[in-house]
Amino acid sequence: MDKELRNRDIRYCVDRSVFHETELGGSTPPSTNSGRAIFNAAKNKLRCSRSAAKSLLFKFIPILQWLPHYPVKEWLLGDIVSGVSVGILQLPQGLAYALLAAVPPVFGLYSSFFPVFIYSFFGTSRHVSVGSFAVVSIMVGSVAESLVTNDNFTLPGNDSIIDMDARDKARVEVVAALTLLVGIFQIILGLVQFGFVVTYLSEPLVRGYTTAATIHVTVSQLKHIFGLPLSEKSQPLSLIYSLISLFRRIHNTNIGTLVVSTIALLCLFAVKEVNQKWQSKLPMPIPIELVVLVISTGVSYGINLHEQYGIGIVGNIPTGLLAPTVPKTDLFFQVVGNAFAIAVVGYTITISLAKIFSMKHGYKVDSNQELIALGLSNLTGSFFHCFAVTSSMSRSLVQESTGGNTQIAGSISSLIILVIILKAGELFTALPKAILSAIVIANLKGMYKQFMDIPALWRTNKYDLLIWIVTFLSTICLNLDIGLGVSVIFGLLTITFRTQLPQYSVLGQVFDTDIYRDLSENAMTKEVAGIKIFHTSSSIYFANAELYAKTLKAKVGVNIDILIEKKKKAVMKRKRCLQKVMTLAKKILSNTQRESGLEFLVNKEAIVGSLQTLSETIPNPPTLQSLGLERLSFHSLILDFAAVGFIDTVGIKMLKNIFEEFKEIEVDVYLVNCPGDILRQLQSSGFFNETFTPALIFPTIHDAVSYLSRTHESSSLQEVTAI
């Protein structure tokens, strides 16, 4: 009967939890105790599952968490002002960076709307401004130019004329496929919690890479500044080839284009300097990019610069949005490597800026969610012909400094771009391309300041300086994609070099404290009598195990190998002497056997007594003192493992050799500050035995020093008492 009731209760709980979840709270509980327990467990599990689902939803779509609690009175005005300011800045940058991405300017507007709007829903940073960025745009452009070259779109019968419409259409297709793959990579990396991948791109590497990319961006815009029709290259040494081609054609410079570019650059740099100098007094930065954009478009339209002076203009900018289309997936194989590089670089820039602002304003950003947010932005944008985006330093600073508090500012800036796409895009048809190039170059001013990293790194860290320089040179010479790969590999190699050549030191005790520091660097330390303390700054593995043992022997001030060799020779010499005495004794005994019995017994007793006395003078095992060798000035060696993160099998074998060799010369070896993982590894590898037990391990240096000092003092007193 009880079994039937219990089965009924189980079926009841299962049915109610699966098909009637909302009624669990008010339903009649089962009749048996076991049934009530199952009912309550199902009820609690349901509550937990609802809470987990809600938490997961809020984590995946952060706007659902903060928007209901948005303080309208305190933050809305700041977000509106910030959004308008960023939108004004986003317009000229979007048009300009489209040239870097090798697509028509209107696609820069698309890339300033769709991804920005999507990020505001999924991003966790409240202050970064997502959109077009020079470094990522030039990376995209290099791929498009390498796969879709001008030579493939020359008109039949005239190689000097290029079918621009067909070429641009093909490049847009490549860029869309590349952006889709970038988004997929970022989403996958975020879902598998792979946000830590950015740790392989150190700050010197990123800054060296972006500085080199700045040079690439500047050189790519010189053809628009001088008005020269230069061919585009995307290969190793392409930067050098572009400069050579530029100087060969410099005499064909379009003077009108150069004058327009020069005036625009002077205005941009001058006003940006004013913005920076009077930053604290201006309510918002002067939107000089927009001012130059509007004035130059008006002048170009009024004077007809294109017809009168041959100045290149943007041309037709269609109004309205394009229908979404699926990018060509058959291009994936050609762009997969570049897509991964762009995904990582774009994420690195975004998370770096996000962490700066989060630390300043006291909130947290989720690195993995940032990957997903960027991935969704690029994924969605690819269906609307956008190129890959990331965060912009200049726009993010404007968004933060003008009072932006949330990504509502980003949504407002994207809506401003939407209005321009729908209604005002055609107004910029007469805009000179030289103006867009001038805007690009003017916005790189802050990036060029990164050259000041060189003297700073020279003073602080030579390894980081080497990474910076190698990254810069490889990116300049080998182009952006290959340069990044070389930089990452070199950065990882420097880690290997640094662990292969760590810092080793002998520690001493700071007077009357439990603090131990390097004897060679601290005048307040003194060496503990009879004890050597050896410290390493790195883990111990196959690449540096031999160096560890070699340096240890050199630091203790005694040539251990020679001393062990001397001991072996002394022992062998003593054995040979003993064998000679035994041989001589046998001869004497054989001769005395012929003598009288009484005399034989007397000689035999004398010889046996002499041999016994000789054997007693040789300890077993023999000591250095008994062999006539000099005794060492220390009796104990402490190995500090505080900085040892791991040790491999080669390191363990080397460590065991150290224990055995120092034991041979009457020095006991101890381990201190040994991490638990290393202890478990030593235990599982059979390191410990009857001679070397876990009792040789101490939690701290001071514990080991205190124990050894007391033990040695008591041993010395016993020796004195025995004497």
Side-chain angles (χ1 to χ4, degrees):
M1 182 65 180
D2 291 340
K3 186 175 181 181
E4 292 179 0
L5 288 172
R6 187 173 182 277
N7 290 337
R8 187 201 70 184
D9 292 339
I10 292 174
R11 289 193 300 273
Y12 175 85
C13 292
V14 171
D15 291 342
R16 297 290 292 181
S17 63
V18 174
F19 299 105
H20 307 285
E21 292 178 350
T22 57
E23 301 177 7
L24 263 175
S27 56
T28 304
S31 56
T32 64
N33 292 334
S34 60
R36 281 191 292 272
I38 297 172
F39 176 81
N40 291 331
K43 191 174 180 180
N44 292 334
K45 186 175 181 180
L46 179 59
R47 288 173 180 168
C48 292
S49 62
R50 285 175 177 171
S51 177
K54 186 177 180 181
S55 176
L56 183 63
L57 182 64
F58 284 169
K59 182 179 180 181
F60 185 67
I61 312 177
I63 194 173
L64 297 179
Q65 186 171 16
W66 59 262
L67 188 59
H69 310 289
Y70 181 79
V72 177
K73 293 182 180 180
E74 291 84 357
W75 285 4
L76 183 59
L77 180 60
D79 280 337
I80 292 175
V81 173
S82 176
V84 172
S85 303
V86 173
I88 292 173
L89 183 60
Q90 189 117 304
L91 169 61
Q93 288 189 0
L95 293 171
Y97 292 154
L99 297 181
L100 295 179
V103 294
V106 69
F107 293 96
L109 297 180
Y110 298 154
S111 301
S112 299
F113 168 63
F114 291 105
V116 178
F117 192 72
I118 295 297
Y119 180 84
S120 62
F121 287 88
F122 297 96
T124 59
S125 175
R126 303 204 311 249
H127 295 93
V128 298
S129 175
V130 170
S132 56
F133 183 60
V135 174
V136 171
S137 297
I138 192 66
M139 293 178 73
V140 172
S142 67
V143 177
E145 291 171 357
S146 64
L147 295 180
V148 184
T149 61
N150 289 335
D151 297 338
N152 296 330
F153 293 90
T154 56
L155 294 178
N158 193 341
D159 294 341
S160 61
I161 300 178
I162 300 172
D163 187 351
M164 304 291 287
D165 293 336
R167 185 204 65 180
D168 290 343
K169 182 180 178 182
R171 286 183 175 178
V172 168
E173 291 176 349
V174 171
V175 168
L178 175 67
T179 304
L180 175 60
L181 202 53
V182 168
I184 291 173
F185 275 133
Q186 289 174 332
I187 292 173
I188 292 174
L189 292 176
L191 291 175
V192 299
Q193 306 291 297
F194 208 63
F196 70 88
V197 70
V198 73
T199 58
Y200 292 103
L201 301 179
S202 64
E203 184 178 355
L205 188 151
V206 173
R207 292 177 71 86
Y209 181 79
T210 52
T211 305
T214 300
I215 304 293
H216 277 279
V217 171
T218 303
V219 172
S220 71
Q221 296 308 295
L222 292 180
K223 62 183 179 182
H224 298 299
I225 296 294
F226 289 94
L228 295 174
L230 300 179
S231 60
E232 295 148 347
K233 299 180 182 296
S234 181
Q235 61 190 38
L237 300 178
S238 62
L239 187 71
I240 310 299
Y241 294 140
S242 297
L243 288 174
I244 293 173
S245 179
L246 175 70
F247 288 122
R248 282 178 176 174
R249 293 176 171 83
I250 197 71
H251 59 280
N252 296 325
T253 298
N254 185 305
I255 302 301
T257 302
L258 183 60
V259 170
V260 170
S261 305
T262 304
I263 295 173
L265 284 171
L266 289 175
C267 293
L268 288 166
F269 281 124
V271 177
K272 281 181 175 293
E273 195 67 28
V274 171
N275 283 339
Q276 185 175 356
K277 188 174 182 180
W278 300 95
Q279 182 179 4
S280 58
K281 297 182 180 180
L282 292 173
M284 64 175 286
I286 300 172
I288 184 60
E289 289 96 341
L290 182 62
V291 173
V292 170
L293 201 73
V294 172
I295 292 176
S296 60
T297 302
V299 172
S300 175
Y301 181 78
I303 303 178
N304 197 3
L305 293 177
H306 180 59
E307 297 293 337
Q308 294 289 336
Y309 302 99
I311 296 175
I313 60 174
V314 169
N316 181 44
I317 298 180
T319 56
L321 297 174
L322 295 178
T325 58
V326 179
K328 291 186 176 180
T329 56
D330 56 346
L331 296 171
F332 279 4
F333 182 75
Q334 301 178 59
V335 300
V336 61
N338 300 95
F340 185 80
I342 294 172
V344 173
V345 171
Y347 168 68
T348 303
I349 295 169
T350 295
I351 197 63
S352 300
L353 289 173
K355 287 184 177 180
I356 291 172
F357 291 121
S358 66
M359 291 177 64
K360 182 178 179 180
H361 294 276
Y363 63 91
K364 293 183 178 180
V365 292
D366 186 338
S367 58
N368 293 304
Q369 180 59 29
E370 285 298 301
L371 262 174
I372 295 173
L374 267 183
L376 288 172
S377 299
N378 284 315
L379 181 71
T380 305
S382 67
F383 291 96
F384 295 92
H385 310 89
C386 301
F387 52 84
V389 299
T390 184
S391 297
S392 165
M393 170 69 83
S394 59
R395 292 197 307 272
S396 298
L397 289 173
V398 169
Q399 181 166 320
E400 188 256 353
S401 62
T402 53
N405 295 289
T406 65
Q407 282 301 327
I408 285 180
S411 299
I412 292 173
S413 70
S414 66
L415 293 177
I416 291 175
I417 299 298
L418 177 62
V419 172
I420 295 171
I421 292 173
L422 296 177
K423 299 295 182 181
E426 59 187 7
L427 298 178
F428 297 100
T429 300
L431 173 66
K433 288 184 178 180
I435 297 296
L436 296 179
S437 295
I439 291 173
V440 170
I441 294 174
N443 279 297
L444 297 175
K445 177 185 175 183
M447 305 290 285
Y448 276 110
K449 290 182 179 179
Q450 293 181 161
F451 277 109
M452 297 306 297
D453 291 348
I454 295 176
L457 292 174
W458 175 262
R459 293 190 300 269
T460 56
N461 193 309
K462 302 294 192 299
Y463 281 106
D464 285 346
L465 174 61
L466 189 61
I467 292 173
W468 197 102
I469 293 175
V470 170
T471 301
F472 177 81
L473 293 177
S474 62
T475 306
I476 288 291
C477 298
L478 303 176
N479 218 346
L480 294 168
D481 47 359
I482 302 175
L484 179 62
V486 171
S487 305
V488 172
I489 293 172
F490 182 79
L492 295 176
L493 286 176
T494 58
I495 298 174
T496 304
F497 293 149
R498 294 168 80 168
T499 56
Q500 277 187 280
L501 302 171
Q503 291 184 346
Y504 298 111
S505 56
V506 176
L507 306 184
Q509 184 179 23
V510 178
F511 185 70
D512 281 345
T513 67
D514 59 353
I515 300 173
Y516 296 83
R517 294 292 182 267
D518 189 347
L519 280 168
S520 62
E521 296 180 357
N522 198 318
M524 299 294 292
T525 59
K526 64 175 182 178
E527 190 170 7
V528 182
I531 301 174
K532 296 281 187 180
I533 307 170
F534 184 71
H535 173 80
T536 178
S537 63
S538 172
S539 298
I540 303 172
Y541 66 112
F542 66 92
N544 64 7
E546 184 177 352
L547 179 63
Y548 180 91
K550 184 178 179 180
T551 308
L552 170 62
K553 294 173 183 178
K555 288 282 187 181
V556 297
V558 179
N559 195 320
I560 307 300
D561 296 328
I562 291 179
L563 186 57
I564 292 175
E565 187 65 25
K566 285 182 178 180
K567 182 180 178 181
K568 289 180 178 178
K569 288 181 179 180
V571 170
M572 293 299 296
K573 184 178 180 181
R574 184 63 60 89
K575 286 182 177 179
R576 286 195 297 270
C577 290
L578 187 58
Q579 288 175 355
K580 289 180 179 179
V581 171
M582 293 294 293
T583 303
L584 182 60
K586 288 180 180 179
K587 288 182 179 180
I588 294 173
L589 289 174
S590 63
N591 292 333
T592 54
Q593 282 181 352
R594 305 187 192 95
E595 302 175 4
S596 60
L598 181 60
E599 186 177 355
F600 170 74
L601 291 175
V602 172
N603 290 333
K604 182 179 179 181
E605 289 177 1
I607 293 171
V608 171
S610 299
L611 292 175
Q612 185 175 0
T613 303
L614 179 62
S615 62
E616 288 175 353
T617 61
I618 305 176
N620 189 23
T623 63
L624 295 175
Q625 189 173 4
S626 67
L627 295 171
L629 299 175
E630 183 181 357
R631 193 170 182 178
L632 297 181
S633 61
F634 61 99
H635 53 79
S636 300
L637 172 64
I638 297 175
L639 303 181
D640 182 17
F641 271 32
V644 179
F646 67 91
I647 184 171
D648 66 358
T649 54
V650 176
I652 292 175
K653 289 179 181 178
M654 177 276 304
L655 191 62
K656 195 158 190 175
N657 289 337
I658 288 175
F659 272 71
E660 292 172 349
E661 289 177 356
F662 276 89
K663 186 72 174 177
E664 189 74 15
I665 58 172
E666 302 166 21
V667 175
D668 295 322
V669 184
Y670 300 87
L671 296 180
V672 298
N673 295 319
C674 197
D677 290 340
I678 294 180
L679 283 176
R680 286 188 287 272
Q681 195 172 354
L682 292 175
Q683 184 73 41
S684 61
S685 63
F687 177 83
F688 299 112
N689 51 35
E690 294 180 357
T691 305
F692 308 121
T693 66
L696 300 176
I697 298 176
F698 289 86
T700 66
I701 297 176
H702 194 64
D703 289 333
V705 169
S706 300
Y707 169 78
L708 295 173
S709 298
R710 289 195 307 268
T711 305
H712 185 66
E713 286 177 4
S714 61
S715 300
S716 300
L717 288 174
Q718 291 177 2
E719 291 178 4
V720 171
T721 303
I723 293 173

